[in-house]
Amino acid sequence: MLTEFYFFYFSTGFYLLATLGAIGTAKYGKPGWKPVLFFLGFALAGNTLSLTLRWVRQGHGPYVDFWEVISSGVWGYHLAIIIACLMVERIRPILAVVLPILSVMVIWNLVVEPRDALVAITFDTIWLPVHVIVGKIFIGCVVIASSISLIILMRQYGERQELADNAALYFPTMPATGALDELSARFMLVGFVFQTLMLIVGAIWAQDAWGRYWAWDPLETWSFLTWICVIFYMHLRYIQHSLPVINACLILLTFVLAFLTFYGVPFFSYAAHQGAV
Amino acid sequence: MKFLASIWLTLILLTIAAALLLYSRMVDETVSGKLIAMPLVGLCLNLMVAIVYNRKLRTQGGLLVFHLALAAVAGLAAFGQLSAVIASIELTEGSEFDPNQITVMNGSLNRDTLHRIRFIQGPFSINYKPGMTRRETYSTVKIQGPDGKWDEQIVGDHYPLIINGYRFYTTSNKGFATLLSYTDKAGQISTGSVHFPGYPLNEAVQANSWTAPDTAKTVALWLELSAPIYTEDAQWQFSVPKDASLVVTVDDVRTTLLPGQVMPIGGGTLRYGELRAWMGYGIYYNPAMSWILAASLVAVCGLGWHCFLKIRSTPWDAAQYSLKSSLENPLNR
């Protein structure tokens, strides 16, 4: 077995351990958010080493074979979550919501068979890694905003079901719903800037590779739809002053669209710009 | 007038533009660029009116730049729909680019400029990795410079030949072409090439038909290769086989010709000159695209500036924010 896979399994173990730790901390107060972040740190270090070794061995970044695309996605989302939790301490309980969801992706990564794929001739450009990096920052921001949104929706659900005296029963140590709404909007704002950059850099790459900046291939069209969805959210949030629960739903819709664009479209698109596959 | 500035109109126009684009991609490629340009012009106007009507857009510099740039992108995209050309052509080794042979054209402006393009297709090579994985293409073309001299240039999948703003890219589409000469009853010689379907994709169907210039007689042509030119599990390079023969079927009578051989057809004679290769090119032209890119960069700068100011006003780790939507909602406590 190649060394990169030892590090991959090491990181997978720690990702799952961090997930269990986050659920335990949310429910029983143990082992605490700091140990969970440490577990995540170990997992991320292993994941980084695994991806780096693969990059060096193959001579191209983790954006060709589907296994490495998922692995680099797992890496990017966890890195975004760690940064957010270090920046804003009070949102650490989102780990209990987001890590179980990301665990599905971690397990998905385990069942996909890794292949050594050749990078296509048209992928041999500096714009591709730049496109991938800004894209990862965008979706990382959306993952954080979505996690916060899930908590807003859980609180709303709690209130509707009259399960508690107040809506803050779910994750009481976290900021008020209004503050969470503002936090998620901030992450969406940052994400929006990087999403716009991702589209522009992607267009420059497309011009370099195929002679056109934009050709409405399925991946381009779905990325554009995701961009429109974020614009719609921004206008509702900042101009119509919509309710946090509506904002949360739109953020989750953005996440679903972005996720399907990254990992779904390549399954049924045979266009030149096939993304992950 | 207020409706003209609304975000709902933006959504409606975007939906119309998306529907037209989808229709043109999936159902009918001949949908006019003018039709698709209309909702884009509408989007441009919608954004301009929104800037006039919405004070917030005018007073916040970053937002203003962002929306103005988006309006420019929409307007330029409309212009692009009218002026862009997307086409393809197959060029035989040794032949000159002929704009009349182009297929699949879009765009309704500036087509005439294609007729000013001159270049000659030279030899090309394509490398394959084991598993029939196509790698680098090196296609030589000869271009006539302003001094009348012919210069050589290598074109590839992402090394285009750029002439008058038109970009020519090699594609995976390539194959073999037979050079035929037909001498009619009057002794007039016509020379041309017949392209066979792309190789190795259509290896099993290397056939085409040809009609003699002075008769209505159509003959069936079949290219007989003694062996495949590729090795599936090893590296190989696309090349023209020397020993390929041409099987000509006229009125159910088959004749096999080797390069240099002739046969009678009607009152004239057909000569199989030699086997050459043809290369398929994708042709792209859109004078608006560079400007769209520039406007998009301005848009992202405006957006980034606006977001930076907005986020800088309160620290990330503050639990209480003074945003309207946070305070006005009953859920916020």
Side-chain angles (χ1 to χ4, degrees):
Chain A
M1 191 164 66
L2 293 165
T3 318
E4 68 201 40
F5 292 112
Y6 287 112
F7 285 114
F8 166 68
Y9 290 122
F10 170 86
S11 68
T12 302
F14 270 101
Y15 279 135
L16 297 177
L17 195 61
T19 305
L20 291 175
I23 295 169
T25 305
K27 202 161 172 64
Y28 308 110
K30 287 181 180 178
W33 299 117
K34 269 190 182 170
V36 170
L37 282 172
F38 270 112
F39 292 153
L40 275 182
F42 282 126
L44 197 73
N47 201 344
T48 309
L49 277 169
S50 164
L51 289 171
T52 309
L53 287 172
R54 191 173 173 83
W55 191 326
V56 171
R57 183 174 63 81
Q58 293 197 124
H60 64 75
Y63 38 68
V64 181
D65 173 45
F66 199 51
W67 181 87
E68 62 198 29
V69 170
I70 300 175
S71 191
S72 63
V74 165
W75 179 85
Y77 308 148
H78 284 93
L79 177 65
I81 287 290
I82 291 173
I83 292 172
C85 288
L86 292 176
M87 278 171 67
V88 192
E89 253 185 58
R90 287 186 65 189
I91 63 161
R92 285 181 184 178
I94 64 166
L95 290 170
V97 177
V98 72
L99 290 186
I101 296 169
L102 289 182
S103 291
V104 176
M105 217 171 153
V106 171
I107 292 164
W108 186 19
N109 206 185
L110 275 174
V111 297
V112 170
E113 195 184 341
R115 289 176 299 125
D116 280 359
L118 281 171
V119 64
I121 294 294
T122 49
F123 279 31
D124 184 19
T125 162
I126 185 68
W127 293 108
L128 177 57
V130 178
H131 174 65
V132 170
I133 288 166
V134 290
K136 291 242 183 282
I137 297 173
F138 153 63
I139 204 162
C141 289
V142 176
V143 165
I144 300 163
S146 303
S147 320
I148 298 170
S149 298
L150 275 174
I151 288 170
I152 294 174
L153 290 179
M154 286 168 82
R155 282 182 174 175
Q156 172 77 1
Y157 174 79
E159 192 177 63
R160 284 269 169 90
Q161 297 294 312
E162 295 178 354
L163 290 176
D165 297 336
N166 60 67
L169 173 74
Y170 286 95
F171 303 96
T173 56
M174 287 187 75
T177 301
L180 288 181
D181 181 47
E182 166 64 13
L183 260 179
S184 58
R186 284 180 161 223
F187 282 109
M188 287 301 283
L189 263 180
V190 177
F192 185 48
V193 176
F194 282 97
Q195 184 191 20
T196 311
L197 260 179
M198 176 189 76
L199 295 182
I200 294 170
V201 173
I204 297 172
W205 164 39
Q207 169 72 0
D208 191 31
W210 304 298
R212 82 292 189 286
Y213 288 103
W214 198 269
W216 298 105
D217 75 28
L219 210 54
E220 288 168 354
T221 308
W222 280 98
S223 319
F224 186 69
L225 279 176
T226 314
W227 190 75
I228 296 293
C229 184
V230 179
I231 284 194
F232 190 60
Y233 159 76
M234 291 291 172
H235 280 83
L236 274 187
R237 169 74 172 70
Y238 287 108
I239 296 173
Q240 307 290 329
H241 304 298
S242 48
L243 289 169
V245 70
I246 293 172
N247 300 336
C249 288
L250 276 172
I251 289 172
L252 287 172
L253 176 66
T254 306
F255 173 73
V256 169
L257 277 176
F259 194 83
L260 285 178
T261 306
F262 272 74
Y263 301 101
V265 172
F267 279 108
F268 55 83
S269 156
Y270 291 95
H273 185 192
Q274 281 189 62
V277 174
Chain B
M1 198 68 175
K2 200 180 173 188
F3 178 70
L4 280 179
S6 79
I7 181 81
W8 298 106
L9 178 63
T10 316
L11 276 177
I12 291 167
L13 288 167
L14 276 170
T15 309
I16 294 171
L20 284 169
L21 278 165
L22 272 178
Y23 185 77
S24 72
R25 288 288 182 278
M26 301 175 85
V27 184
D28 181 9
E29 284 192 354
T30 59
V31 170
S32 163
K34 285 177 195 166
L35 199 63
I36 300 172
M38 279 159 70
L40 295 172
V41 171
L43 275 172
C44 178
L45 288 173
N46 168 238
L47 281 160
M48 298 301 281
V49 177
I51 291 166
V52 172
Y53 267 79
N54 196 328
R55 198 176 157 272
K56 272 186 184 173
L57 286 183
R58 293 197 309 276
T59 51
Q60 300 182 67
L63 268 190
L64 178 65
V65 170
F66 179 61
H67 284 83
L68 278 173
L70 280 185
V73 167
L76 286 163
F79 173 65
Q81 279 298 323
L82 298 173
S83 56
V85 172
I86 301 172
S88 61
I89 192 168
E90 294 174 3
L91 282 175
T92 314
E93 206 180 317
S95 70
E96 190 169 347
F97 169 73
D98 178 4
N100 298 317
Q101 300 295 321
I102 278 175
T103 52
V104 196
M105 285 194 69
N106 290 324
S108 52
L109 303 174
N110 292 328
R111 284 190 191 178
D112 287 346
T113 53
L114 260 175
H115 290 271
R116 288 188 227 133
I117 293 173
R118 284 199 71 191
F119 71 90
I120 294 171
Q121 175 64 48
F124 61 85
S125 66
I126 305 165
N127 297 330
Y128 277 81
K129 288 267 187 188
M132 301 293 279
T133 308
R134 191 174 66 92
R135 302 299 292 167
E136 305 83 4
T137 296
Y138 302 102
S139 177
T140 312
V141 291
K142 290 178 182 171
I143 315 154
Q144 196 167 30
D147 53 356
K149 277 187 180 173
W150 289 90
D151 293 321
E152 283 193 354
Q153 188 183 325
I154 302 293
V155 184
D157 281 9
H158 65 312
Y159 298 108
L161 165 69
I162 305 172
I163 306 177
N164 297 345
Y166 289 86
R167 302 167 76 94
F168 293 76
Y169 288 82
T170 55
T171 64
S172 59
N173 195 24
K174 76 281 168 190
F176 304 118
T178 48
L179 210 64
L180 301 178
S181 298
Y182 178 74
T183 311
D184 63 17
K185 288 172 195 167
Q188 192 77 30
I189 301 173
S190 320
T191 304
S193 60
V194 175
H195 289 192
F196 290 97
Y199 188 93
L201 184 66
N202 303 295
E203 186 192 3
V205 282
Q206 290 296 297
N208 207 338
S209 60
W210 170 79
T211 307
D214 61 342
T215 66
K217 202 174 277 294
T218 299
V219 299
L221 304 173
W222 173 50
L223 188 66
E224 193 175 31
L225 303 174
S226 54
I229 63 161
Y230 58 84
T231 324
E232 210 163 330
D233 300 325
Q235 289 193 14
W236 62 281
Q237 202 170 52
F238 186 88
S239 60
V240 180
K242 301 287 174 205
D243 55 349
S245 53
L246 181 68
V247 179
V248 185
T249 308
V250 189
D251 300 331
D252 294 333
V253 179
R254 286 162 57 110
T255 310
T256 302
L257 299 178
L258 288 169
Q261 290 186 328
V262 293
M263 67 173 284
I265 288 183
T269 53
L270 175 71
R271 181 176 185 273
Y272 168 32
E274 61 178 295
L275 190 66
R276 289 188 182 176
W278 60 260
M279 170 54 73
Y281 286 91
I283 307 169
Y284 305 93
Y285 174 76
N286 191 336
M289 275 303 190
S290 309
W291 295 102
I292 290 178
L293 179 68
S296 306
L297 287 171
V298 172
V300 82
C301 288
L303 179 67
W305 177 243
H306 174 73
C307 293
F308 173 71
L309 291 179
K310 203 162 185 64
I311 288 169
R312 198 183 60 167
S313 57
T314 42
W316 279 91
D317 206 4
Q320 283 81 37
Y321 296 99
S322 57
L323 202 86
K324 263 189 176 178
S325 62
S326 300
L327 297 174
E328 285 173 0
N329 289 320
L331 273 174
N332 301 340
R333 44 186 80 168

